[in-house]
């Protein structure tokens, strides 16, 4: 192929390329024109749809605005109508009030005129009454003057005679009436008093508690008796010295007898024996230790008994010291009658009787429980127990009614309250029950106490116990201050003073015990 052919083909190629480009452009221009037309038509359709939508929205908004306007207009018209009706109603009420006030005003004016007329009439009548009163006074003076001339008495003398006559007649009638009332009152009072006392006694159930002077300590076997006695009797002597009672170990099977007039001592001895037997170690040092602990336990038990008693009786606000004294009553007796049982019975009797008489049953019950409280206070034995009990009640801020009832129940002081004779009567009722008391027991205990106090009055005496029903006085002395020779002399002096100052049956053995102990500790 030569160069001309190549050129020819190149020209043809170029021409063909140009023709292709022209044709392509023509086709693109034609396509673009069609697309623009379609777009224009689409835009025209959208504009038309938008116009239609806008028109619909416009119509809806116009309709909604019209509805709202009509609704607001209707509400406004209703509110305006309501207010208008209210205004009309208020105007009608005001018109009615004005009419009512005008009528009342007319009535007031009419009443004022009537009052004025009435006042004028009363003034005229008062003048007439005053005139008639003056005439009546003048007539009375004339009448009195005439009566004075006739009777030769003045008006004051006649008045005095009339008063004396009426007074004498009234006194005669009154004395007769009072006499009838007193006779009737005496009959009914005696009957009512018997009824109240009988009802009180019947409503109060109690047991007869008689105190004994011995306690029985039961043991499992008689072998324990040897341990209790100890070598050469040292254990039993130590126990008697520590407790102040007599320990009787005889042929009674499975029993040890504890003898002593003081219930507290007997109880301490019984509990101490129980602990010693359970422990098994019985010797003088252990005995003293156990007795000391038992005494502390008894003190706690006394407080517990007092608290339980006041709770059972429903008594509140009692001082702790008085509660402790109430507990001590459990271990005291009055003519053989247990003091706590007696006081509880008197308290219940007093409360019942006070209720029957319409008095305060709580104060009566309180006074009944505390009426013998002076018997358990050993510091001032020379005072009567009623006075001592009253002073203790005053010391611990008891009510004056309670204090007077305690002090007056044996007539040591004057009774100032109605509860006081009730306490006295109930104390007599409790003590007068058949089998409630034994006079011999009281005198016996009093004699033993005096015997112990006589022994304690000597110098150098630490403890003093009356045992064997008062036939022996056991005296423990201080070994450092009392020698053996002095112990013998002391025994003689005490026996001589007993012969001189006391009355007693038979004879009294005076035993002075002087024990020397030396104690040291290995550290």
């Amino acid at each position: 192929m030569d160069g001309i052919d190549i050129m020819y083909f190149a020209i043809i190629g170029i021409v063909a390329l140009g023709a292709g480009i022209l044709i392509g452009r023509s086709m693109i221009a034609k396509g673009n024109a069609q697309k623009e037309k379609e777009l224009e038509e689409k835009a025209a359709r959208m504009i038309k749809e938008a116009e239609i939508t806008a028109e619909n929205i416009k119509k809806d908004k116009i309709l909604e605005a019209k509805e709202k306007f009509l609704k607001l207009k209707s509400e406004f018209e209703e509110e305006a109508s309501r207010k208008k009706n209210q205004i009309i109603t208020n105007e009608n009420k005001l018109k009615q009030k004005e009419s009512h006030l005008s009528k009342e005003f007319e009535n007031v004016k009419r009443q004022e005129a009537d009052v004025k007329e009435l006042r004028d009439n009363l003034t005229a009548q008062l003048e007439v009454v005053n005139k008639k009163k003056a005439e009546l006074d003048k007539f009375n003076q004339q009448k009195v003057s005439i009566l004075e001339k006739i009777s030769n008495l003045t008006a004051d003398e006649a008045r005095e005679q009339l008063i004396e006559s009426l007074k004498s007649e009234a006194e005669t009638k009154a004395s007769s009436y009072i006499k009838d009332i007193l006779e009737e009152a005496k009959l009914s009072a005696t009957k009512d008093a018997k009824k109240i006392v009988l009802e009180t006694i019947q409503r109060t159930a109690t047991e007869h508690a008689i105190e004994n002077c011995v306690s029985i300590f039961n043991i499992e076997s008689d072998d324990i008796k040897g341990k209790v006695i100890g070598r050469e009797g040292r254990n039993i002597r130590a126990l008697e010295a520590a407790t102040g009672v007599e320990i009787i170990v005889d042929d009674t099977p499975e029993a040890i007898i504890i003898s002593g007039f003081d219930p507290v001592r007997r109880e301490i001895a019984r509990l101490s024996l129980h602990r010693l037997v359970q422990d098994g170690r019985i010797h003088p040092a252990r005995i003293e230790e156990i007795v000391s602990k038992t005494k502390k336990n008894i003190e706690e038990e006394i407080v517990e008994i007092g608290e339980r008693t006041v709770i059972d009786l429903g008594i509140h606000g009692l001082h702790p010291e008085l509660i402790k004294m109430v507990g001590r009553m459990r271990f005291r007796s009055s003519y053989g009658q247990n003091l706590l049982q007696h006081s509880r019975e008197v308290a219940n009797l007093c409360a019942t009787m006070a209720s029957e008489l319409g008095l305060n049953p709580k104060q009566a019950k309180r006074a009944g429980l505390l009426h013998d409280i002076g018997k358990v206070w050993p510091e001032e034995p020379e005072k009567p127990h009623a006075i001592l009990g009253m002073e203790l009640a005053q010391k611990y801020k008891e009510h004056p009614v309670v204090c007077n009832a305690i002090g007056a129940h044996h007539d040591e002081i004057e009774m100032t309250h109605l509860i006081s004779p009730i306490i006295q009567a109930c104390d007599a009722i409790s003590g007068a029950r058949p089998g409630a008391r034994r006079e011999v027991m009281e005198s016996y205990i009093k004699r033993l106490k005096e015997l112990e106090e006589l022994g304690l009055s000597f110098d150098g005496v630490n403890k003093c116990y009356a045992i064997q029903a008062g036939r022996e006085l056991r005296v423990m002395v201080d070994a450092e201050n009392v020698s053996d020779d002095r112990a013998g002399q002391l025994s003689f002096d005490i026996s001589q003073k007993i012969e001189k100052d006391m009355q007693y049956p038979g004879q009294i053995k005076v035993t002075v015990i002087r024990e020397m102990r030396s104690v040291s500790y290995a550290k």
Side-chain angles (χ1 to χ4, degrees), residues 167-181:
K167 185 177 179 182
S168 176
E169 183 180 357
E171 286 180 351
T172 303
K173 289 184 178 181
S175 62
S176 177
Y177 185 63
I178 290 170
K179 185 178 180 181
D180 293 340
I181 291 175

Side-chain angles (χ1 to χ4, degrees), residues 65-76:
K66 285 181 179 181
E67 289 176 357
K68 191 172 184 180
F69 173 74
L70 292 173
K71 184 178 179 182
L72 290 173
K73 183 180 178 182
S74 175
E75 291 177 354
F76 175 76

Side-chain angles (χ1 to χ4, degrees), residues 12-13 79 134 156 192 208 222 228 241-242 255 329 346 373 482 491-492 497 520:
I12 292 172
E79 182 69 18
D156 292 338
D192 291 342
H208 301 314
D222 290 340
V228 172
M329 289 182 183
V346 172
I373 202 75
V482 178
S491 175
F492 177 76
K497 189 170 180 62
S520 58

Side-chain angles (χ1 to χ4, degrees), residues 79-253:
E79 182 69 18
S81 176
R82 188 180 62 78
K83 288 186 177 179
K84 185 178 179 181
N85 293 333
Q86 188 175 2
I87 290 169
I88 293 170
T89 303
N90 291 336
E91 287 178 353
N92 292 332
K93 288 182 179 179
L94 288 173
K95 286 179 182 179
Q96 291 177 359
K97 286 185 178 179
E98 287 177 0
S99 175
H100 182 68
L101 288 173
S102 62
K103 289 181 181 178
E104 286 187 351
F105 185 68
E106 291 176 359
N107 291 332
V108 169
K109 282 186 176 181
R110 192 161 50 250
Q111 289 175 0
E112 284 181 354
D114 294 341
V115 168
K116 186 177 181 182
E117 183 180 356
L118 181 62
R119 186 173 59 202
D120 294 339
N121 293 335
L122 288 174
T123 304
Q125 291 177 5
L126 185 61
E127 290 177 357
V128 173
V129 168
N130 289 333
K131 190 181 292 185
K132 288 185 178 180
K133 184 179 179 184
E135 293 175 358
L136 183 62
D137 290 341
K138 185 177 180 182
F139 175 75
N140 286 333
Q141 289 178 0
Q142 292 175 356
K143 184 173 69 174
V144 170
S145 177
I146 293 170
L147 289 173
E148 287 178 353
K149 288 179 181 179
I150 294 172
S151 62
N152 293 324
L153 292 173
T154 63
D156 292 338
E157 291 174 347
R159 188 182 299 111
E160 289 295 329
Q161 287 186 3
L162 180 61
I163 290 172
E164 287 296 327
S165 176
L166 293 173
K167 185 177 179 182
S168 176
E169 183 180 357
E171 286 180 351
T172 303
K173 289 184 178 181
S175 62
S176 177
Y177 185 63
I178 290 170
K179 185 178 180 181
D180 293 340
I181 291 175
L182 287 175
E183 292 296 330
E184 184 180 355
K186 286 179 181 178
L187 292 174
S188 60
T190 303
K191 183 178 179 181
D192 291 342
K194 289 180 179 178
K195 178 183 176 183
I196 290 171
V197 171
L198 287 173
E199 287 184 355
T200 302
I201 294 173
Q202 289 171 357
R203 287 170 58 186
T204 306
T206 184
E207 298 178 357
H208 301 314
I210 300 298
E211 289 292 325
N212 297 315
C213 289
V214 295
S215 298
I216 306 298
F217 176 70
N218 295 314
I219 55 179
E220 295 180 356
S221 65
D222 290 340
D223 296 338
I224 298 174
K225 292 182 179 180
K227 294 182 179 180
V228 172
I229 295 172
R231 183 180 299 175
E232 298 178 356
R234 63 173 188 172
N235 290 345
I236 196 169
R237 285 199 304 271
L239 189 58
E240 289 178 344
T243 58
V245 298
E246 183 182 7
I247 309 297
I248 301 173
V249 181
D250 54 13
D251 296 335
T252 305

